[in-house]
Amino acid sequence: MPHTYQYARAALTVDGVVFGLDAGELKILLIQRALEPFKGKWALPGGFVHVEETLDAAARRELAEETGLADVFLEQLYTFGAVKRDPRERVVSVAYYALVKLSDHAAKAATDAAKAEWFPVSRLPQLAFDHADIVALALTRLQGKVRYQPIGFELLPPKFTLSDLQHLYEVILGTELDKRNFRKKVLGFGLLVPLNETQMSGRHRPAQLFRFDADKYEKLKKRGFNFEL
Amino acid sequence: MPHTYQYARAALTVDGVVFGLDAGELKILLIQRALEPFKGKWALPGGFVHVEETLDAAARRELAEETGLADVFLEQLYTFGAVKRDPRERVVSVAYYALVKLSDHAAKAATDAAKAEWFPVSRLPQLAFDHADIVALALTRLQGKVRYQPIGFELLPPKFTLSDLQHLYEVILGTELDKRNFRKKVLGFGLLVPLNETQMSGRHRPAQLFRFDADKYEKLKKRGFNFEL
């Protein structure tokens, strides 16, 4: 195939910011690098894009290879192209963010990574490359996005209480929300299906469990529905 | 410098969706391709990223080279990486969108492009590559963004009437807005400075001219101000 651009080319990578909710804390999945540069440092899971795969496919493949995660909510975030972001040579990275239910997934380290571990967003270790910038942008995107798209449910188990849901929003937005207003708004969308189950928690009275009605949301969205919190 | 990825690499390009407001219509700047592939077809201005320049710099350089535009509002949109999007070989494109004041800029075709021309968003010609997808996403982004960030002012001349502003929002959002509500909301932000000037338009009574207070907006933004329309 004729090459159209004859000069030096950047290498292209994908990196993924994987968010999970664990014991009420928002966490990110990091990999301890087994190789130089930044050997021993924590970094986002990621790697080189193959010439015959899409960017999304590369992001999913790297996540699976390095952490064992599959079938997760994944969206492109931003492409990072500072000239010296990799000490080896010019590497442009297409960053993604993913949301996983920690109940479903136990992340495990795989072949090319030494170790995979969840860290609270509020207490991250020093990160390799420009990965701290990527994490910061992913967090901003998540905070913006949960307000107008019900992606928060990707982080919750299939059955949850209204307190679980409110706590999720509080953790992501980093702010307390008024309980009465939150419940009124969230129930007003008609997207939460009450289940015939309750959950006990400490000395509180049993709390109603709900599930998110994804099918209904998809239908409403096609008609121009706007989920705004 | 040691190369870290030894296999075939994608070529990396930037493409720009340049929006302008012309006689009350939202338009996009297109380039007629002088070379194969898609010779003679209309396409977004863009080109290859040099190995020693950032993505933003490449986007600005290509805009300047192909259209003469400089100092415009420019933001990264999304990176397009379908495997066969370029018939020659694997080319990944980092797409940008730009907003320009048509009053300031007369776009001109430069060396590598045959012709540059503004087309109404509602009546675009057939586009080369996957550029129609890029335009569609840019429009969605613009529609989302004007609602919570005052970027619409980038499209208006420095002095404008409230009708101009409302019309801009109506054109971008593709919907009519209630005049009274719109004015109340827009004046409520305190970001419009009334000038000692009016504008005559047809038989209407002279309309007050305003300017956007960008300095005040920057200060408010730092304190967590949210421009929401």
Side-chain angles (χ1 to χ4, degrees), chain B residues 202-215:
Chain B
R203 292 193 214 172
H204 300 286
R205 65 188 174 94
Q208 172 75 55
L209 283 166
F210 291 85
R211 70 172 178 85
F212 175 63
D213 193 340
D215 291 342

Side-chain angles (χ1 to χ4, degrees), chain A residues 1-5 8-12 48-55 76 78-79 81 83 88-90 92, chain B residues 1-5 8-12 48-55 76 78-79 81 83 88-90 92:
Chain A
M1 202 154 34
H3 272 221
T4 174
Y5 187 67
R9 294 176 178 211
L12 195 63
F48 292 97
V49 176
H50 297 172
V51 79
E52 287 290 350
E53 73 185 342
T54 63
L55 302 171
Q76 198 188 103
Y78 195 81
T79 298
V83 175
R88 292 166 292 185
E89 63 155 329
R90 181 77 192 280
V92 169
Chain B
M1 204 158 29
H3 271 222
T4 174
Y5 187 67
R9 295 177 178 210
L12 195 63
F48 292 97
V49 176
H50 298 171
V51 79
E52 287 289 349
E53 72 184 342
T54 64
L55 303 171
Q76 198 189 103
Y78 195 82
T79 298
V83 175
R88 293 166 292 185
E89 63 154 330
R90 181 76 191 279
V92 169

Side-chain angles (χ1 to χ4, degrees), chain A residues 85-105:
Chain A
R85 55 180 296 285
D86 190 310
R88 292 166 292 185
E89 63 155 329
R90 181 77 192 280
V91 179
V92 169
S93 186
V94 184
Y96 281 77
Y97 72 104
L99 306 179
V100 307
K101 295 184 204 299
L102 275 187
S103 49
D104 293 0
H105 297 287

Side-chain angles (χ1 to χ4, degrees), chain A residues 105-225:
Chain A
H105 297 287
K108 56 173 193 289
T111 43
D112 22 352
K115 209 164 100 182
E117 209 173 300
W118 291 94
F119 287 86
V121 167
S122 54
R123 298 186 302 281
L124 294 178
Q126 212 195 354
L127 299 181
F129 305 104
D130 54 357
H131 289 188
D133 296 338
I134 299 180
V135 169
L137 189 68
L139 194 59
T140 303
R141 178 75 60 91
L142 180 62
Q143 288 169 340
K145 204 126 191 186
V146 289
R147 296 187 64 164
Y148 60 90
Q149 224 177 294
I151 60 172
F153 297 101
E154 301 287 345
L155 293 163
L156 286 178
K159 302 170 182 180
F160 50 84
T161 67
L162 292 180
S163 295
D164 293 339
L165 187 60
Q166 180 173 344
H167 185 70
L168 169 74
Y169 273 86
E170 290 179 337
V171 163
I172 292 175
L173 299 174
T175 179
E176 285 195 22
L177 301 168
D178 178 72
K179 182 170 164 177
R180 188 195 299 253
N181 276 343
F182 181 80
R183 295 192 171 203
K184 195 176 146 197
K185 233 175 178 176
V186 129
L187 290 171
F189 297 124
L191 293 171
L192 299 184
V193 183
L195 302 170
N196 278 327
E197 286 177 68
T198 54
Q199 189 174 66
M200 295 299 290
S201 155
R203 292 193 215 173
H204 301 286
R205 65 187 176 94
Q208 171 75 54
L209 283 166
F210 291 85
R211 70 172 179 84
F212 175 63
D213 193 341
D215 291 343
K216 185 170 175 192
Y217 174 68
E218 287 306 319
K219 275 179 208 145
L220 288 171
K221 208 170 60 173
K222 274 178 198 137
R223 302 211 311 257
F225 171 80

